[in-house]
């Protein structure tokens, strides 16, 4: 169906025409009429089917028709996204679709200065795209209020649950007004997502354009069985042999993504990595180079899979299969977008076969198995040799110490008993290395006369001895005499514990009044204020009726240096 038949305004149709969008996708065709009527919507569609336009186009039209201006530190439409990249993509689409509507659009997410967000929200926004964590930070700092919200959108709700945003979403739900329009989109619909949708939506219309957790029809899927140590060489071969326009490579870990980029560079293939440990500037630069074509290979983790909406991705490589089968659907959905076709190739090691079975069970289709390239082992050896010449041996490629002829000589274990000591648990002399290498206690029974106790001979110093076995020190002027017997000059010594000594027994030096209560000290020319007595009741340490600071003694009524104090009026 054409966008002209969906009831959109002329300004929206003109913005779509400038982007060469003429025909609506199935989810857009079903969702736009429902949203223009103001009802809640539950959309189930795989990634890359046009969900952003499905909820953004009718929302812009409703905001323009209301003809309201946002107040400072408020927003009229809130779109929640799981990742920074996806938030940026949605905000960019909102600016493109609403270029003739004069609506203000802003984004807030982590990784950038909160001062920038404060400036963004100071005048209020019509459309705000945010990640849940930074949104709640701004609300806690009273920089944003959701009391005037008109439209709430949750995009990629299943990914939010995977990232642990469930508690943040429930709190946001308690802060938004009840009289609002809610839109809920997810690629998968497990039980937890269904329960969350019931909390946000009121009598929603369900729109499902594809079976739950199905993969894109135009994606040519395949899997290759390969050893874990040979995956890097296989990836290098595929990139060199296939006509790749842009390719995404997915790993399970951040360290794995950086390692793939490093080893590809050793074979002369330029690539960038994007994951949670990268700064926001690095992530934007890597994504910008990928979009512009300066770098054709982008290695990413699952957290970035939802935010990469780049046209022209011809291949997706699952370098490591995901342990969550739903992630496979989102990964390969990065290709075959906007009517194009794509290819998804998975590398499966022996320990990943269970992941493959879970994926096939979820998608209800068998992934075709493709054999390794001809002469794979010989080419893999040549690729590794080239990489070693360029950058040295990778720790994974280095031979293990316990395999075949590379086994390192085992360190001989001492089977004899510990040598006799000097009777004090440690040996004399300076032969500490020999002592630590072959001093072993008996495994059974008690040590013989003159031998070390278990755990003592290995240290070789007096710290390993029990307190009763320590010998007197002769290098100290007072030996092992108790500390209380040592002279202290003119300083008087009281052997009683500190807690048992009254504070008044301590000498006060040249203090003129010693430990006499403060009320007994002369006050000079001070006169009592009317209505005050000579003693002040315990309180917070401030004088009533005045602005003098707290008196000595802390919080008033407490014990100071001289015990309870009575303050003069």
């Amino acid at each position: 169906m054409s966008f002209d038949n969906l009831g959109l305004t002329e300004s929206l149709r003109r913005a779509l025409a400038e982007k060469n969008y003429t025909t609506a996708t199935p989810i857009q065709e079903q969702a736009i009429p429902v949203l223009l009527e103001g009802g809640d919507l539950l959309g189930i569609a795989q990634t890359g089917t046009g969900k952003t336009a499905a909820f953004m186009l009718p929302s812009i039209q409703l905001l323009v028709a209301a003809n309201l201006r946002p107040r400072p530190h408020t927003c009229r439409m809130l779109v929640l996204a799981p990742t920074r990249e996806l938030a940026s993509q949605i905000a960019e689409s909102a600016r493109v679709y609403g270029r003739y509507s004069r609506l203000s659009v802003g984004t807030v997410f982590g990784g950038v200065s909160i001062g920038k967000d404060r400036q963004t929200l100071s005048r209020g926004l019509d459309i705000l795209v945010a990640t849940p964590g930074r949104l709640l930070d701004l609300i806690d700092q009273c920089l944003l209020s959701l009391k005037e919200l008109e439209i709430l959108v949750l995009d990629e709700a299943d990914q939010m649950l995977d990232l642990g945003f469930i508690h943040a979403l429930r709190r946001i739900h308690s802060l938004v007004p009840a009289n609002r329009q809610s839109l809920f989109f997810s690629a998968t619909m497990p039980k937890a997502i269904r329960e969350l949708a019931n909390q946000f939506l009121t009598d929603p219309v369900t729109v499902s354009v594809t079976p739950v957790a199905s993969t894109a029809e135009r994606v040519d899927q395949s899997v290759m069985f390969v050893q874990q140590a040979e995956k890097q060489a296989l990836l290098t071969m595929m990139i060199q042999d296939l006509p790749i326009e842009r390719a995404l490579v997915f790993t399970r870990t951040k360290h794995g993504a950086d390692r793939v980029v490093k080893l590809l560079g050793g074979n002369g293939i330029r690539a960038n990595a994007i994951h949670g440990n990268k700064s926001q500037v690095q992530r934007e630069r890597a994504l910008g180079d990928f979009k512009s074509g300066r770098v054709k290979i982008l290695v990413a983790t699952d957290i970035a899979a939802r935010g990469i909406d780049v046209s022209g991705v011809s291949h997706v490589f699952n370098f490591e299969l995901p342990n969550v089968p739903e992630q496979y659907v989102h990964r390969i959905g990065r290709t075959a977008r906007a009517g194009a076709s794509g290819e998804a190739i998975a590398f499966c090691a022996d320990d990943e076969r269970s992941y493959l079975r879970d994926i096939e069970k979820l998608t209800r289709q068998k992934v075709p198995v493709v054999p390794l390239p001809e002469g794979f082992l010989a080419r893999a050896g040549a690729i590794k040799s080239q990489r070693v010449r360029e950058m040295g041996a990778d720790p994974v490629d280095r031979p293990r110490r316990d395999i075949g002829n590379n086994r390192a000589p085992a360190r001989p274990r001492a089977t004899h008993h510990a040598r006799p000591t000097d009777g004090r648990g440690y040996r004399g002399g300076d032969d500490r290395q020999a002592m630590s290498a072959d001093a072993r206690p008996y495994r059974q029974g008690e040590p013989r006369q003159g031998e070390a106790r278990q755990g003592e001979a290995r240290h070789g110093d007096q710290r390993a001895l029990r307190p009763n076995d320590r010998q007197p020190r002769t290098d100290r002027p007072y030996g092992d005499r108790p500390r209380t017997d040592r002279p202290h000059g003119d300083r008087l010594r009281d052997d009683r514990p500190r807690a048992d000594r009254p504070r008044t027994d301590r000498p006060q030096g040249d203090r003129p009044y010693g430990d006499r209560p403060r009320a007994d000290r002369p006050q000079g020319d001070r006169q009592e204020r009317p209505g005050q007595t000579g003693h002040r009741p315990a309180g917070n340490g401030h004088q009533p009726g005045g602005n003098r600071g707290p008196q000595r003694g802390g919080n008033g009524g407490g014990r100071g240096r001289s015990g309870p104090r009575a303050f003069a009026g």
Side-chain angles (χ1 to χ4, degrees):
M1 181 181 293
S2 173
F3 285 108
D4 298 336
N5 301 327
L6 294 179
L8 298 175
T9 59
E10 189 274 335
S11 61
L12 290 175
R13 295 198 303 268
R14 183 166 36 146
L16 291 172
E18 293 179 358
K19 294 288 294 183
N20 297 323
Y21 295 160
T22 57
T23 304
T25 62
I27 191 172
Q28 295 167 359
E29 182 179 341
Q30 299 181 41
I32 289 178
V34 175
L35 297 180
L36 289 176
E37 296 177 358
D40 289 0
L41 178 73
L42 175 60
I44 306 173
Q46 62 193 19
T47 181
T49 55
K51 288 184 296 183
T52 303
F55 67 77
M56 191 58 70
L57 291 173
S59 298
I60 292 175
Q61 184 165 325
L62 292 177
L63 293 175
V64 173
N67 196 22
L68 298 176
R69 296 189 61 182
R71 296 183 181 181
H73 302 288
T74 64
C75 63
R76 300 176 61 195
M77 177 181 179
L78 173 63
V79 183
L80 293 175
T83 62
R84 308 172 189 175
E85 286 74 25
L86 182 57
S88 299
Q89 297 279 358
I90 295 173
E92 182 63 26
S93 298
R95 295 186 182 97
V96 171
Y97 300 146
R99 65 174 57 181
Y100 299 112
S101 59
R102 297 182 180 179
L103 295 179
S104 56
V105 182
T107 57
V108 293
F109 45 75
V112 298
S113 172
I114 204 167
K116 180 181 178 181
D117 296 338
R118 182 185 295 109
Q119 183 179 3
T120 301
L121 299 171
S122 60
R123 296 184 178 181
L125 292 171
D126 292 297
I127 302 174
L128 175 63
V129 188
T131 53
R134 176 53 65 91
L135 180 74
L136 290 178
D137 289 342
L138 296 171
I139 293 175
D140 292 339
Q141 299 185 32
C142 300
L143 298 177
L144 175 65
S145 174
L146 302 179
K147 294 182 179 180
E148 299 184 6
L149 190 68
E150 303 174 29
I151 303 174
L152 174 64
V153 181
L154 269 72
D155 195 15
E156 305 288 2
D158 50 352
Q159 176 75 350
M160 291 192 188
L161 262 65
D162 294 340
L163 296 178
F165 287 137
I166 179 63
H167 299 292
L169 294 178
R170 288 173 178 169
R171 186 183 172 199
I172 293 172
H173 176 261
S174 65
L175 298 174
V176 297
N179 186 18
R180 69 180 189 278
Q181 184 182 17
S182 300
L183 290 66
F184 201 97
F185 288 90
S186 179
T188 60
M189 193 55 57
K191 182 180 179 180
I193 298 294
R194 182 72 64 176
E195 294 175 353
L196 184 65
N198 293 335
Q199 298 178 13
F200 279 83
L201 305 176
T202 303
D203 297 329
V205 176
T206 302
V207 175
S208 180
V209 297
T210 56
V212 177
S214 66
T215 53
E217 296 179 355
R218 292 180 298 272
V219 179
D220 184 14
Q221 303 177 60
S222 61
V223 60
M224 295 182 176
F225 293 104
V226 62
Q227 297 297 325
Q228 191 72 38
E230 306 296 339
K231 283 187 176 183
Q232 186 68 37
L234 179 59
L235 177 63
T236 304
M237 290 183 204
M238 303 302 291
I239 294 176
Q240 293 175 347
D241 297 344
L242 296 177
I244 294 176
E245 183 177 354
R246 289 186 183 90
L248 278 168
V249 180
F250 285 101
T251 62
R252 281 198 300 266
T253 64
K254 307 168 189 177
H255 173 73
D258 291 333
R259 177 180 176 273
V260 169
V261 171
K262 176 183 177 181
L263 298 185
L264 285 177
N267 290 115
I269 300 175
R270 186 181 177 189
N272 285 336
I274 181 171
H275 51 71
N277 280 357
K278 297 288 186 180
S279 66
Q280 185 61 29
V281 175
Q282 292 174 324
R283 293 166 72 163
E284 292 178 353
R285 183 185 301 116
L287 196 56
D289 291 342
F290 187 64
K291 289 181 178 180
S292 63
R294 290 190 292 269
V295 177
K296 295 184 178 182
I297 309 298
L298 183 64
V299 186
T301 55
D302 289 324
I303 193 173
R306 302 294 186 92
I308 303 176
D309 186 7
V310 180
S311 60
V313 176
S314 58
H315 292 76
V316 170
F317 293 97
N318 284 284
F319 187 84
E320 295 171 325
L321 288 178
N323 52 1
V324 178
E326 288 83 3
Q327 293 293 351
Y328 178 82
V329 179
H330 304 306
R331 286 183 178 186
I332 69 173
R334 298 301 102 191
T335 186
R337 304 176 73 90
S341 60
E343 186 174 356
I345 304 173
F347 300 162
C348 182
D350 292 338
D351 57 347
E352 296 175 314
R353 289 180 181 267
S354 60
Y355 299 158
L356 179 61
R357 289 193 296 267
D358 293 340
I359 292 171
E360 293 175 341
K361 181 179 178 181
L362 178 71
T363 59
R364 297 191 295 273
Q365 56 180 323
K366 197 76 173 178
V367 181
V369 179
V370 176
L372 295 174
E374 185 177 356
F376 171 72
L377 294 179
R379 292 187 61 186
I383 289 174
K384 289 183 180 180
S385 300
Q386 177 189 0
R387 186 169 64 240
V388 169
R389 289 194 302 269
E390 293 293 332
M391 55 180 296
D394 184 70
V396 177
D397 296 335
R398 293 170 185 167
R400 295 177 57 183
R401 295 170 61 90
D402 58 348
I403 296 179
N405 297 328
N406 295 319
R407 182 186 300 273
R411 182 177 179 179
R413 296 185 59 183
T415 57
H416 56 275
H417 304 303
R419 293 184 299 175
T421 62
D422 60 356
R424 292 179 295 173
Y426 62 95
R427 301 184 185 88
D430 297 328
D431 190 14
R432 296 187 178 183
Q433 182 177 1
M435 174 192 65
S436 61
D438 58 2
R440 297 288 189 272
Y442 284 98
R443 295 183 178 274
Q444 296 180 354
E446 296 294 330
R448 298 177 181 177
Q449 182 67 26
E451 292 187 345
R453 294 179 179 89
Q454 185 174 0
E456 295 175 358
R458 70 185 65 177
H459 296 292
D461 57 14
Q462 198 156 336
R463 290 177 299 177
L465 303 177
R466 294 188 303 181
N468 295 337
D469 294 335
R470 294 183 180 177
Q471 302 299 320
R473 293 284 300 270
T474 58
D475 55 342
R476 298 178 180 175
Y478 300 101
D480 285 350
R481 291 166 53 189
R483 298 182 61 88
T484 55
D485 296 340
R486 305 176 190 178
H488 293 274
D490 297 335
R491 182 178 173 186
L492 298 178
R493 186 77 181 182
D494 192 346
D495 293 334
R496 286 180 296 176
R498 184 181 183 91
D500 297 338
R501 285 185 285 161
R503 300 180 66 89
T504 55
D505 292 342
R506 304 177 188 176
Q508 300 296 330
D510 56 352
R511 293 180 59 180
Y513 299 103
D515 286 283
R516 293 166 54 188
R518 295 180 63 89
D520 296 340
R521 305 179 188 180
Q523 301 296 326
D525 297 333
R526 293 181 58 186
Q527 298 180 359
E528 289 187 355
R529 299 178 184 175
Q532 290 186 346
T533 61
H535 296 277
R536 177 171 299 160
N540 59 1
H542 295 273
Q543 296 186 14
N547 57 1
R548 296 181 64 191
Q551 299 291 332
R552 293 181 60 185
N555 57 356
R559 297 181 62 87
R561 182 185 295 260
S562 306
R565 296 178 177 177
F567 292 87

